[in-house]
Amino acid sequence: MAERRINNMEKIRTAVAQDLLSGRIDLLLGWEKGLYWWQSRPLFARNSEDLQRLTWDSFCVANLSGYLQEELKENKKIGILLKGCDSRALNRLVQDQMVDRERVVAYGLPCPGLLDPRLLKQEAGLELTALGIEEGEDRVTLTGTKGKSIAREELLLEKCRRCHHPDPVGCDQLLLPPVGSREDRSRFHQVTRLEEIPAEERFAYWSSQFERCLRCYACREACPCCSCRECFVEQEEPRWLGKAHENSENFIYHLTRAFHSAGRCVECGECQRVCPVELPLMELSSKIIKDINELYGEYQAGLDTEQDPPLLTYQPDDPAAFVE
Amino acid sequence: MHYRYFPGCTLKTQAKEMEDTALAAASALGIELQELPEWQCCGAVFPLSDDELITLLSPVRTLAAAGGEPLVSLCAACHHVLKRAQEVIKRNPDTREKVTDFLEVDYAGEGRVLHFLEVLRDDLGFDRLKEQVSHPLAGRKIAAYYGCLLLRPAKEMQFDDPENPTIMEDLLRSLGAEVVSTAYRTECCGAYLSVTEEKVATATAEKIVHSARRAGAEALITACPLCRYNLENIGGPALPVYYFSELLAEALGVAALKEVARG
Amino acid sequence: MPRIGVFICWCGTNIAGTVEIEQVVNAARSFPGVVYAGDYRYLCSEVGQKLIKDTIKKENLERVVVGTCSPRMHEVTFRKAVAEAGLNPYLLEVANLREHCSWVHKDPAEATPKAIALVRAAVSKASLDEPLTALMLDVEKRALVIGGGIAGIQAALDIADSGYTVDLVEKEPSIGGRMAQLEKTFPTLDCAACILTPKMVEVAQHPNINLLTYSEVEAVSGFVGQFDVRIRSRARSIDPSKCTGCGICYEKCPAKVPSEFDMELGKRKVIYVPFPQAVPNIPVIDRENCLYFKRGRCRICEKECPAEAIDFEQQDEIIERRYGVILVATGFDSMDLTGYGEYGYGQHPDVLSALQFERLFNASGPTAGQVVRLSNGRPPQRVVFIQCVGSRDIARGQNYCSKICCMFTSKQAILLKEKLPETEAYIFYIDLRTAGKGYEEFQRRAAEEYGVIYLRGSVGKVFPEGERLLVRGVDSLSGRPLEIEADLVVLAAASVPRRDAPELARLMSINSDRYNFFDEAHPKLRPVETHTAGIFIAGACQAPKDIPEAVAQAGAAAAKAVTLLSKEKLQSEACVAKVDPARCSGCLHCEAVCPYGAIAATETEERVRGELLTRTVAEVNPALCQGCGCCTMTCRSGSVTLQGYTDEQMLAEVDALCLQR
Amino acid sequence: MIFSESYHRFIDELKKNTGQDPNQCYQCAKCSAGCPVVAAMDLLPHQVIRYLQLGLLGELEESRTPWICASCFTCAARCPRDLDLARLMEGVRLAVLRLREGNRLSPADLELTPEQLEKLPAQALVSSFRKYAK
């Protein structure tokens, strides 16, 4: 496995190096290793030296498509590495006319699912600094313990465990062989669980969650759907939101953000991952996705750029009980 | 093709020839009908009032015993009761909870519930059946009689067009018989009344048989033991009434199996 | 803060009976910006309006708030008054103190504080009002009528007689519609053709009517006064300037298909006119079935045509034209009865729909006017009519009553009795609905004079028994089950909207009800208008109707259309949406949801780190915008706003309403 | 015809257990028109619904009709008001049985010869007792 990964790395690097060095792209958005082994961070590669740092491992979690909007102002053409979820984000941005697809070279990386450091730590019962891992095909061995081995599926990030489309869609080229669709995974179990509890309890649940929100807006910054030039939270005229820490305002922020990403959310889970207080933000987005599916038929944002989003289309048989 | 098989009360007694011939035909056609290891009568009547939970217990127990595998019955009444009981379980979570808790089974309405005729039409196909017919019923003028329980309510039974069904006629054609169309083929014969209101049941049955006779039929087929009993039990000139399975076995040239593998 | 004046109306006792007017006036004086507050018994009266006008001048008012009835009632009245006093009319706000307050409360202790809150909200909004100006738009002096049945014909004639040009578009090769298929009409038993044909000819000869048969509307854009419409005029494969209508072509044509005009009972040729009195009397070639178009051989019609009018190469013609108004009169279909297996429709040749039965009486119909059984060609001795097939049926049909069946069934029974006096006629009905001039008398004549037997009840099933049909039913009045050996069974099929009605509704942006009948703007007060200004409806496309009703409605719709056409200019909507290009990120979701096609992409320039970049943003065409607000709903950053209803104004209202009392 | 409290209790119970509301019926009588055993009934099927609408419960209690009904669902299949009369009939039968706190059929009532019993399908007996006894 390790060997294959190295081989994969070479394959990826060769493919993108060619384009970057020949000037087909001005910038490559990829990942490099961070400070620790369980961190990989965005890499902005402009030359062969930068490319040496390029990495593709089980921690390349950041969705890079969010950088495109800004970077395209200064670069003519950008290459970008995309996992399944990331590729759908790019497609969504293209559908929202935020990114000119002609100016992007998309390299798809079929994704086996990324590992959650928090789970690794929990399973090992050790600080991550004292831990190492060896990845097999389906299992991960924790070195530093007594060789504890765990099914990879159980160590995946929450978003990866509900991911149906690990293979990138709509890319210019796939750099690795596809891993196949995972429609066997359940996407909405958490939402269904929440739906089943009584409304007051549900309100109490969200109240206690939002109470912790710092309004740092990291969720918005990381979200590929949040492409407005000026977000409503910062607007002065009219002023939608106060600045004080006030739970009702936190509610307004999160619910409005969820509505704004309705029909756009590609379930990349970045909002939840970057949240410093670990709010379960994906549950909100998932609830809206589930509702849209039930009302207007199955729709997964960013999968098919030809299909118009359900909230922007009208069918004569659309349910309209709410206006009657 | 593998199915779980629910015989029901009458097929082990008065309608033995229905079971024997159907099982023989099935085995000739490569259709494996594995009888449920333990079963009890379906109750013969689907409970039409929602406060009659006890009558749901037996069909739901049977459905649960099939373990999600397709469940086949031969008798129209059994099929009706099982199919509709399954619909209740699927559509009414309250009832499902009460019934399954009482029975201590885990059943949420899974598995196809089929009449053997549906297996022949949908899973085997009448075209394939036709290829296997070795003794076609050429020149035999036969009318199909459906009765009530197979067809209605159509929304739940999803068996065939409730007013103009074709499945039995299609079967007869694939067996090489000459189909005689009769006006009363979907009219109820009133057989449920044969114990308490025999005269009513007989009068209703007579109308059906005599109309078939006038239309030129030499025999009738049915998929329900109770219909057969009632249609045979009339005053005046009668017509032979067969189970569809009897003619099926005949056309396939197989003798009735006496011994059946038990699940 | 602008100077605001508040005027509270008593509306007699309508408002004053429940709301303490004095309290409201006193409270209003304390609201920010209010420099005047007063009340009057009837503000909408001349005197009331004069009070407003005088006060505006005297107090130098810059904004006006009236606390009155619903703005739907009198907003226009008060805007006019404000304008006459020299203020921009959009600097007026209406607080709805009647429908939203006094009419829904009994207790003044509840109504008065609510009235105060409503006025406070209106004052808050008014302080943010900006003057708005509506555009003045031209009116194209041309009308489009869609559908050439009796309603469309009548409407086209009425508009044309008023001096305006009308394009009448009909999908079929001839105008005439459903009425042309009828033999006689109730309750007078006039021959349908005798009264319809003259009107059809008049249409063809009218100098102001441009007849487009075998044509369909493909696209509609624009707005009242300026609808841009694309019409596809299908190739007839015949040069109309050469054709003399001699009919040799269809005499000689070797290919036959079921005739739509005869409800598939008879056959027609592949080159055909639907019926002898067709207007225009020019055949069409049905290319789907023509041997030449299908297999490349035949061309007999071409050889036989003495006028050399056949043109196999003819192409569809696309007509793009602007109209001031559109009138929709697309009529109805007879419901498909295949779901009613118990009647044996489609299974037995002697079970017919009423429209099929009607064709049997017609001299040019499938039986040349002989009323016979289609199974054996012999006249029937007993006919059973069944009403409400598909109508009033929530399980397999339509919830509504089709309205015309009671009458046409009686009519057909009478026609039958006139033609075959010995034949028995039985009518199964659930309720007899004979409201209409001369209708009840007509139905009674059927029963009393002609001896038609009316049975109150239903039919369970029709059993083919030998050569006849055994109808098993019940007469509910006597409580008797009945069995009738009949020769013919006639089903009064429900009237349903045309199959393509939903598509047309979408094309025109007009509303439909749950059955796909087109919706009028108001069920009582605006029965021929739609919610889309400039589009009118007439006839059975709105709901099942008989001929007199369809004709009356067509006349009314034509009058409305002419009223519009007679105007030199129309004022556009002033409360239109506006995009702030600096905020707009250019996702164009607003364009996707705009029902009026009023939003499009445009380029804007901006400086980024010293460099000039162009980017795409949305832009509203104020002439097309109807102020519906869909765009403002869909814009996440609030870059689109509806003038007169800006986010700031709405929030100001909400804040004012939420203030502690 | 008295819409007493007991009537309302009865109707509410009937609606709850059968999911059918007799007031949905507009008396087209299609149920009676199609019923295969109508000839043996003293009240026609649509009259049973009418009696339910009018609260004529005593008459229904005496009527043979609910016991003649063969539960063949023909009426339900064709009802333009989407009423399931077969269910209503069962509701009436149950109400009568419960009211009388007794069964309408007991094994002793059956006057069958051994030969008849031999021939009679088990199904016929089971269903009769299901219908006539609780």
mmCIF file of all heavy atoms in Angstrom, chain B residues 76-77 145-150 185 187-192 194 205 208-209 220-234 241 243, chain D residues 121 123:
data_model
loop_
_atom_site.group_PDB
_atom_site.id
_atom_site.type_symbol
_atom_site.label_atom_id
_atom_site.label_comp_id
_atom_site.label_asym_id
_atom_site.label_seq_id
_atom_site.Cartn_x
_atom_site.Cartn_y
_atom_site.Cartn_z
ATOM 1 N N ALA B 76 -56.567 -17.939 -3.758
ATOM 2 C CA ALA B 76 -56.858 -16.515 -3.918
ATOM 3 C C ALA B 76 -57.072 -15.839 -2.572
ATOM 4 O O ALA B 76 -56.625 -14.712 -2.356
ATOM 5 C CB ALA B 76 -58.092 -16.319 -4.792
ATOM 6 N N ALA B 77 -57.748 -16.522 -1.662
ATOM 7 C CA ALA B 77 -58.046 -15.923 -0.370
ATOM 8 C C ALA B 77 -56.772 -15.734 0.447
ATOM 9 O O ALA B 77 -56.545 -14.675 1.021
ATOM 10 C CB ALA B 77 -59.050 -16.781 0.391
ATOM 11 N N TYR B 145 -62.361 -17.946 -14.641
ATOM 12 C CA TYR B 145 -63.183 -17.259 -13.655
ATOM 13 C C TYR B 145 -62.263 -16.706 -12.559
ATOM 14 O O TYR B 145 -61.506 -17.442 -11.935
ATOM 15 C CB TYR B 145 -64.228 -18.212 -13.050
ATOM 16 C CG TYR B 145 -64.963 -17.530 -11.931
ATOM 17 C CD1 TYR B 145 -65.858 -16.504 -12.207
ATOM 18 C CD2 TYR B 145 -64.719 -17.861 -10.600
ATOM 19 C CE1 TYR B 145 -66.483 -15.818 -11.184
ATOM 20 C CE2 TYR B 145 -65.349 -17.184 -9.571
ATOM 21 C CZ TYR B 145 -66.234 -16.164 -9.879
ATOM 22 O OH TYR B 145 -66.841 -15.477 -8.862
ATOM 23 N N TYR B 146 -62.302 -15.392 -12.364
ATOM 24 C CA TYR B 146 -61.388 -14.718 -11.431
ATOM 25 C C TYR B 146 -61.983 -14.550 -10.033
ATOM 26 O O TYR B 146 -61.286 -14.677 -9.034
ATOM 27 C CB TYR B 146 -61.019 -13.324 -11.939
ATOM 28 C CG TYR B 146 -60.144 -13.326 -13.160
ATOM 29 C CD1 TYR B 146 -60.696 -13.476 -14.422
ATOM 30 C CD2 TYR B 146 -58.773 -13.196 -13.054
ATOM 31 C CE1 TYR B 146 -59.902 -13.469 -15.549
ATOM 32 C CE2 TYR B 146 -57.966 -13.189 -14.177
ATOM 33 C CZ TYR B 146 -58.528 -13.330 -15.424
ATOM 34 O OH TYR B 146 -57.743 -13.327 -16.523
ATOM 35 N N GLY B 147 -63.273 -14.196 -9.996
ATOM 36 C CA GLY B 147 -63.862 -13.901 -8.701
ATOM 37 C C GLY B 147 -63.368 -12.577 -8.163
ATOM 38 O O GLY B 147 -62.905 -11.718 -8.912
ATOM 39 N N CYS B 148 -63.456 -12.451 -6.837
ATOM 40 C CA CYS B 148 -63.237 -11.121 -6.271
ATOM 41 C C CYS B 148 -61.856 -10.905 -5.695
ATOM 42 O O CYS B 148 -61.218 -9.892 -5.922
ATOM 43 C CB CYS B 148 -64.283 -10.877 -5.181
ATOM 44 S SG CYS B 148 -64.485 -12.242 -4.018
ATOM 45 N N LEU B 149 -61.354 -11.872 -4.915
ATOM 46 C CA LEU B 149 -60.242 -11.566 -4.024
ATOM 47 C C LEU B 149 -58.898 -11.366 -4.710
ATOM 48 O O LEU B 149 -58.024 -10.689 -4.202
ATOM 49 C CB LEU B 149 -60.116 -12.662 -2.961
ATOM 50 C CG LEU B 149 -61.318 -12.763 -2.026
ATOM 51 C CD1 LEU B 149 -61.115 -13.868 -1.002
ATOM 52 C CD2 LEU B 149 -61.577 -11.444 -1.311
ATOM 53 N N LEU B 150 -58.726 -11.962 -5.885
ATOM 54 C CA LEU B 150 -57.460 -11.777 -6.581
ATOM 55 C C LEU B 150 -57.314 -10.344 -7.061
ATOM 56 O O LEU B 150 -56.219 -9.789 -7.102
ATOM 57 C CB LEU B 150 -57.391 -12.694 -7.810
ATOM 58 C CG LEU B 150 -57.016 -14.150 -7.598
ATOM 59 C CD1 LEU B 150 -57.044 -14.855 -8.944
ATOM 60 C CD2 LEU B 150 -55.630 -14.279 -6.977
ATOM 61 N N ARG B 185 -66.852 -13.034 -15.385
ATOM 62 C CA ARG B 185 -65.627 -13.631 -14.838
ATOM 63 C C ARG B 185 -65.074 -12.884 -13.627
ATOM 64 O O ARG B 185 -64.342 -13.432 -12.828
ATOM 65 C CB ARG B 185 -64.570 -13.778 -15.924
ATOM 66 C CG ARG B 185 -64.116 -12.500 -16.525
ATOM 67 C CD ARG B 185 -63.640 -12.684 -17.964
ATOM 68 N NE ARG B 185 -63.357 -11.382 -18.500
ATOM 69 C CZ ARG B 185 -62.139 -10.885 -18.641
ATOM 70 N NH1 ARG B 185 -61.103 -11.628 -18.347
ATOM 71 N NH2 ARG B 185 -61.955 -9.678 -19.098
ATOM 72 N N GLU B 187 -67.139 -11.238 -11.466
ATOM 73 C CA GLU B 187 -68.195 -11.088 -10.471
ATOM 74 C C GLU B 187 -67.968 -12.076 -9.333
ATOM 75 O O GLU B 187 -67.595 -13.222 -9.560
ATOM 76 C CB GLU B 187 -69.560 -11.397 -11.112
ATOM 77 C CG GLU B 187 -70.004 -10.330 -12.075
ATOM 78 C CD GLU B 187 -70.509 -9.082 -11.361
ATOM 79 O OE1 GLU B 187 -71.557 -9.124 -10.729
ATOM 80 O OE2 GLU B 187 -69.805 -8.066 -11.460
ATOM 81 N N CYS B 188 -68.220 -11.618 -8.144
ATOM 82 C CA CYS B 188 -68.067 -12.493 -6.983
ATOM 83 C C CYS B 188 -69.111 -13.602 -7.051
ATOM 84 O O CYS B 188 -70.264 -13.363 -7.418
ATOM 85 C CB CYS B 188 -68.255 -11.670 -5.717
ATOM 86 S SG CYS B 188 -68.357 -12.650 -4.217
ATOM 87 N N CYS B 189 -68.722 -14.844 -6.689
ATOM 88 C CA CYS B 189 -69.663 -15.956 -6.760
ATOM 89 C C CYS B 189 -70.431 -16.131 -5.452
ATOM 90 O O CYS B 189 -71.277 -16.993 -5.328
ATOM 91 C CB CYS B 189 -68.949 -17.251 -7.125
ATOM 92 S SG CYS B 189 -67.918 -17.891 -5.797
ATOM 93 N N GLY B 190 -70.075 -15.313 -4.450
ATOM 94 C CA GLY B 190 -70.814 -15.369 -3.184
ATOM 95 C C GLY B 190 -70.470 -16.568 -2.316
ATOM 96 O O GLY B 190 -71.203 -16.918 -1.404
ATOM 97 N N ALA B 191 -69.325 -17.170 -2.590
ATOM 98 C CA ALA B 191 -68.997 -18.427 -1.902
ATOM 99 C C ALA B 191 -68.832 -18.256 -0.396
ATOM 100 O O ALA B 191 -69.024 -19.211 0.356
ATOM 101 C CB ALA B 191 -67.722 -19.027 -2.497
ATOM 102 N N TYR B 192 -68.472 -17.040 0.047
ATOM 103 C CA TYR B 192 -68.353 -16.826 1.485
ATOM 104 C C TYR B 192 -69.665 -17.111 2.202
ATOM 105 O O TYR B 192 -69.701 -17.323 3.396
ATOM 106 C CB TYR B 192 -67.943 -15.378 1.768
ATOM 107 C CG TYR B 192 -66.458 -15.155 1.889
ATOM 108 C CD1 TYR B 192 -65.915 -13.889 1.730
ATOM 109 C CD2 TYR B 192 -65.594 -16.214 2.183
ATOM 110 C CE1 TYR B 192 -64.552 -13.675 1.833
ATOM 111 C CE2 TYR B 192 -64.235 -16.006 2.288
ATOM 112 C CZ TYR B 192 -63.717 -14.744 2.114
ATOM 113 O OH TYR B 192 -62.381 -14.534 2.219
ATOM 114 N N SER B 194 -71.675 -19.598 1.512
ATOM 115 C CA SER B 194 -72.164 -20.953 1.253
ATOM 116 C C SER B 194 -72.523 -21.717 2.525
ATOM 117 O O SER B 194 -73.249 -22.694 2.471
ATOM 118 C CB SER B 194 -71.169 -21.732 0.389
ATOM 119 O OG SER B 194 -69.895 -21.625 0.939
ATOM 120 N N ALA B 205 -73.719 -18.263 -8.114
ATOM 121 C CA ALA B 205 -72.839 -19.152 -8.866
ATOM 122 C C ALA B 205 -73.515 -19.616 -10.160
ATOM 123 O O ALA B 205 -72.872 -19.726 -11.208
ATOM 124 C CB ALA B 205 -72.440 -20.343 -8.004
ATOM 125 N N ILE B 208 -73.168 -17.311 -13.051
ATOM 126 C CA ILE B 208 -71.826 -17.323 -13.635
ATOM 127 C C ILE B 208 -71.648 -18.536 -14.532
ATOM 128 O O ILE B 208 -71.203 -18.444 -15.684
ATOM 129 C CB ILE B 208 -70.767 -17.322 -12.507
ATOM 130 C CG1 ILE B 208 -70.842 -15.998 -11.745
ATOM 131 C CG2 ILE B 208 -69.375 -17.573 -13.057
ATOM 132 C CD1 ILE B 208 -70.195 -16.023 -10.381
ATOM 133 N N VAL B 209 -72.032 -19.696 -14.016
ATOM 134 C CA VAL B 209 -71.823 -20.937 -14.767
ATOM 135 C C VAL B 209 -72.685 -20.962 -16.022
ATOM 136 O O VAL B 209 -72.208 -21.297 -17.113
ATOM 137 C CB VAL B 209 -72.107 -22.163 -13.879
ATOM 138 C CG1 VAL B 209 -71.998 -23.449 -14.683
ATOM 139 C CG2 VAL B 209 -71.163 -22.194 -12.689
ATOM 140 N N LEU B 220 -64.584 -24.452 -16.717
ATOM 141 C CA LEU B 220 -64.137 -23.200 -16.101
ATOM 142 C C LEU B 220 -62.849 -23.471 -15.341
ATOM 143 O O LEU B 220 -62.630 -24.579 -14.848
ATOM 144 C CB LEU B 220 -65.182 -22.712 -15.099
ATOM 145 C CG LEU B 220 -66.434 -22.008 -15.614
ATOM 146 C CD1 LEU B 220 -67.489 -21.997 -14.520
ATOM 147 C CD2 LEU B 220 -66.095 -20.593 -16.034
ATOM 148 N N ILE B 221 -62.001 -22.456 -15.239
ATOM 149 C CA ILE B 221 -60.885 -22.602 -14.293
ATOM 150 C C ILE B 221 -60.974 -21.497 -13.256
ATOM 151 O O ILE B 221 -61.490 -20.413 -13.497
ATOM 152 C CB ILE B 221 -59.488 -22.551 -14.959
ATOM 153 C CG1 ILE B 221 -59.288 -21.225 -15.697
ATOM 154 C CG2 ILE B 221 -59.250 -23.752 -15.830
ATOM 155 C CD1 ILE B 221 -57.834 -20.938 -15.998
ATOM 156 N N THR B 222 -60.420 -21.811 -12.096
ATOM 157 C CA THR B 222 -60.428 -20.849 -11.000
ATOM 158 C C THR B 222 -59.117 -20.974 -10.224
ATOM 159 O O THR B 222 -58.383 -21.955 -10.380
ATOM 160 C CB THR B 222 -61.632 -21.079 -10.067
ATOM 161 O OG1 THR B 222 -61.445 -20.335 -8.887
ATOM 162 C CG2 THR B 222 -61.791 -22.536 -9.696
ATOM 163 N N ALA B 223 -58.849 -19.983 -9.402
ATOM 164 C CA ALA B 223 -57.648 -20.019 -8.569
ATOM 165 C C ALA B 223 -58.018 -20.013 -7.104
ATOM 166 O O ALA B 223 -57.216 -19.654 -6.261
ATOM 167 C CB ALA B 223 -56.755 -18.818 -8.898
ATOM 168 N N CYS B 224 -59.241 -20.394 -6.808
ATOM 169 C CA CYS B 224 -59.724 -20.292 -5.433
ATOM 170 C C CYS B 224 -60.540 -21.542 -5.096
ATOM 171 O O CYS B 224 -61.490 -21.870 -5.795
ATOM 172 C CB CYS B 224 -60.592 -19.049 -5.293
ATOM 173 S SG CYS B 224 -61.456 -18.917 -3.726
ATOM 174 N N PRO B 225 -60.177 -22.262 -4.032
ATOM 175 C CA PRO B 225 -60.899 -23.492 -3.685
ATOM 176 C C PRO B 225 -62.365 -23.233 -3.341
ATOM 177 O O PRO B 225 -63.236 -24.040 -3.662
ATOM 178 C CB PRO B 225 -60.169 -24.016 -2.452
ATOM 179 C CG PRO B 225 -58.878 -23.300 -2.397
ATOM 180 C CD PRO B 225 -59.036 -22.021 -3.133
ATOM 181 N N LEU B 226 -62.624 -22.081 -2.735
ATOM 182 C CA LEU B 226 -63.979 -21.780 -2.333
ATOM 183 C C LEU B 226 -64.858 -21.514 -3.557
ATOM 184 O O LEU B 226 -66.008 -21.946 -3.635
ATOM 185 C CB LEU B 226 -63.960 -20.557 -1.404
ATOM 186 C CG LEU B 226 -65.100 -20.403 -0.409
ATOM 187 C CD1 LEU B 226 -65.326 -21.682 0.363
ATOM 188 C CD2 LEU B 226 -64.800 -19.257 0.537
ATOM 189 N N CYS B 227 -64.300 -20.804 -4.529
ATOM 190 C CA CYS B 227 -65.032 -20.566 -5.773
ATOM 191 C C CYS B 227 -65.350 -21.913 -6.433
ATOM 192 O O CYS B 227 -66.452 -22.144 -6.917
ATOM 193 C CB CYS B 227 -64.206 -19.739 -6.755
ATOM 194 S SG CYS B 227 -63.914 -18.044 -6.246
ATOM 195 N N ARG B 228 -64.364 -22.761 -6.468
ATOM 196 C CA ARG B 228 -64.590 -24.034 -7.144
ATOM 197 C C ARG B 228 -65.724 -24.807 -6.495
ATOM 198 O O ARG B 228 -66.622 -25.312 -7.160
ATOM 199 C CB ARG B 228 -63.319 -24.875 -7.119
ATOM 200 C CG ARG B 228 -63.524 -26.190 -7.806
ATOM 201 C CD ARG B 228 -62.360 -27.104 -7.634
ATOM 202 N NE ARG B 228 -62.474 -28.263 -8.513
ATOM 203 C CZ ARG B 228 -61.537 -29.161 -8.647
ATOM 204 N NH1 ARG B 228 -60.397 -29.020 -8.001
ATOM 205 N NH2 ARG B 228 -61.707 -30.177 -9.433
ATOM 206 N N TYR B 229 -65.669 -24.842 -5.170
ATOM 207 C CA TYR B 229 -66.706 -25.555 -4.432
ATOM 208 C C TYR B 229 -68.074 -24.997 -4.794
ATOM 209 O O TYR B 229 -69.013 -25.711 -5.108
ATOM 210 C CB TYR B 229 -66.433 -25.408 -2.936
ATOM 211 C CG TYR B 229 -67.592 -25.836 -2.055
ATOM 212 C CD1 TYR B 229 -67.829 -27.186 -1.809
ATOM 213 C CD2 TYR B 229 -68.439 -24.888 -1.486
ATOM 214 C CE1 TYR B 229 -68.896 -27.573 -1.023
ATOM 215 C CE2 TYR B 229 -69.504 -25.272 -0.698
ATOM 216 C CZ TYR B 229 -69.736 -26.623 -0.462
ATOM 217 O OH TYR B 229 -70.778 -27.003 0.318
ATOM 218 N N ASN B 230 -68.154 -23.681 -4.784
ATOM 219 C CA ASN B 230 -69.442 -23.019 -4.998
ATOM 220 C C ASN B 230 -69.923 -23.183 -6.445
ATOM 221 O O ASN B 230 -71.102 -23.403 -6.696
ATOM 222 C CB ASN B 230 -69.298 -21.534 -4.640
ATOM 223 C CG ASN B 230 -70.637 -20.851 -4.445
ATOM 224 O OD1 ASN B 230 -71.577 -21.481 -3.968
ATOM 225 N ND2 ASN B 230 -70.719 -19.592 -4.816
ATOM 226 N N LEU B 231 -69.004 -23.055 -7.391
ATOM 227 C CA LEU B 231 -69.398 -23.132 -8.805
ATOM 228 C C LEU B 231 -69.827 -24.546 -9.182
ATOM 229 O O LEU B 231 -70.631 -24.752 -10.094
ATOM 230 C CB LEU B 231 -68.249 -22.680 -9.710
ATOM 231 C CG LEU B 231 -67.848 -21.196 -9.610
ATOM 232 C CD1 LEU B 231 -66.636 -20.914 -10.483
ATOM 233 C CD2 LEU B 231 -68.994 -20.275 -9.977
ATOM 234 N N GLU B 232 -69.256 -25.536 -8.481
ATOM 235 C CA GLU B 232 -69.626 -26.920 -8.773
ATOM 236 C C GLU B 232 -70.953 -27.290 -8.125
ATOM 237 O O GLU B 232 -71.640 -28.202 -8.553
ATOM 238 C CB GLU B 232 -68.543 -27.863 -8.243
ATOM 239 C CG GLU B 232 -67.361 -27.968 -9.175
ATOM 240 C CD GLU B 232 -66.354 -28.996 -8.689
ATOM 241 O OE1 GLU B 232 -66.270 -29.201 -7.458
ATOM 242 O OE2 GLU B 232 -65.655 -29.576 -9.536
ATOM 243 N N ASN B 233 -71.286 -26.547 -7.080
ATOM 244 C CA ASN B 233 -72.372 -26.920 -6.194
ATOM 245 C C ASN B 233 -73.685 -26.247 -6.587
ATOM 246 O O ASN B 233 -74.381 -25.716 -5.747
ATOM 247 C CB ASN B 233 -71.972 -26.464 -4.773
ATOM 248 C CG ASN B 233 -72.601 -27.372 -3.747
ATOM 249 O OD1 ASN B 233 -73.057 -28.473 -4.085
ATOM 250 N ND2 ASN B 233 -72.639 -26.907 -2.507
ATOM 251 N N ILE B 234 -73.973 -26.204 -7.875
ATOM 252 C CA ILE B 234 -75.182 -25.501 -8.292
ATOM 253 C C ILE B 234 -76.250 -26.478 -8.737
ATOM 254 O O ILE B 234 -75.967 -27.647 -8.997
ATOM 255 C CB ILE B 234 -74.887 -24.516 -9.452
ATOM 256 C CG1 ILE B 234 -74.331 -25.282 -10.660
ATOM 257 C CG2 ILE B 234 -73.950 -23.425 -9.014
ATOM 258 C CD1 ILE B 234 -74.269 -24.441 -11.907
ATOM 259 N N VAL B 241 -65.328 -27.673 -13.248
ATOM 260 C CA VAL B 241 -64.526 -26.533 -12.778
ATOM 261 C C VAL B 241 -63.163 -27.054 -12.346
ATOM 262 O O VAL B 241 -63.074 -27.954 -11.517
ATOM 263 C CB VAL B 241 -65.213 -25.829 -11.592
ATOM 264 C CG1 VAL B 241 -64.436 -24.581 -11.201
ATOM 265 C CG2 VAL B 241 -66.651 -25.476 -11.926
ATOM 266 N N TYR B 243 -59.030 -26.324 -11.115
ATOM 267 C CA TYR B 243 -58.034 -25.344 -10.684
ATOM 268 C C TYR B 243 -57.130 -25.081 -11.871
ATOM 269 O O TYR B 243 -56.856 -25.986 -12.671
ATOM 270 C CB TYR B 243 -57.178 -25.897 -9.542
ATOM 271 C CG TYR B 243 -57.953 -26.078 -8.266
ATOM 272 C CD1 TYR B 243 -57.970 -27.301 -7.621
ATOM 273 C CD2 TYR B 243 -58.642 -25.010 -7.706
ATOM 274 C CE1 TYR B 243 -58.668 -27.477 -6.450
ATOM 275 C CE2 TYR B 243 -59.354 -25.173 -6.539
ATOM 276 C CZ TYR B 243 -59.372 -26.404 -5.907
ATOM 277 O OH TYR B 243 -60.066 -26.562 -4.762
ATOM 278 N N PRO D 121 -65.101 -26.753 1.937
ATOM 279 C CA PRO D 121 -63.709 -26.356 2.189
ATOM 280 C C PRO D 121 -63.558 -25.756 3.580
ATOM 281 O O PRO D 121 -64.438 -25.033 4.055
ATOM 282 C CB PRO D 121 -63.437 -25.303 1.120
ATOM 283 C CG PRO D 121 -64.486 -25.495 0.085
ATOM 284 C CD PRO D 121 -65.675 -26.069 0.778
ATOM 285 N N GLN D 123 -61.831 -23.443 4.463
ATOM 286 C CA GLN D 123 -61.884 -22.010 4.260
ATOM 287 C C GLN D 123 -63.288 -21.439 4.482
ATOM 288 O O GLN D 123 -63.445 -20.352 5.045
ATOM 289 C CB GLN D 123 -61.477 -21.811 2.803
ATOM 290 C CG GLN D 123 -61.026 -20.482 2.409
ATOM 291 C CD GLN D 123 -60.762 -20.482 0.897
ATOM 292 O OE1 GLN D 123 -60.637 -21.545 0.276
ATOM 293 N NE2 GLN D 123 -60.676 -19.315 0.329
#
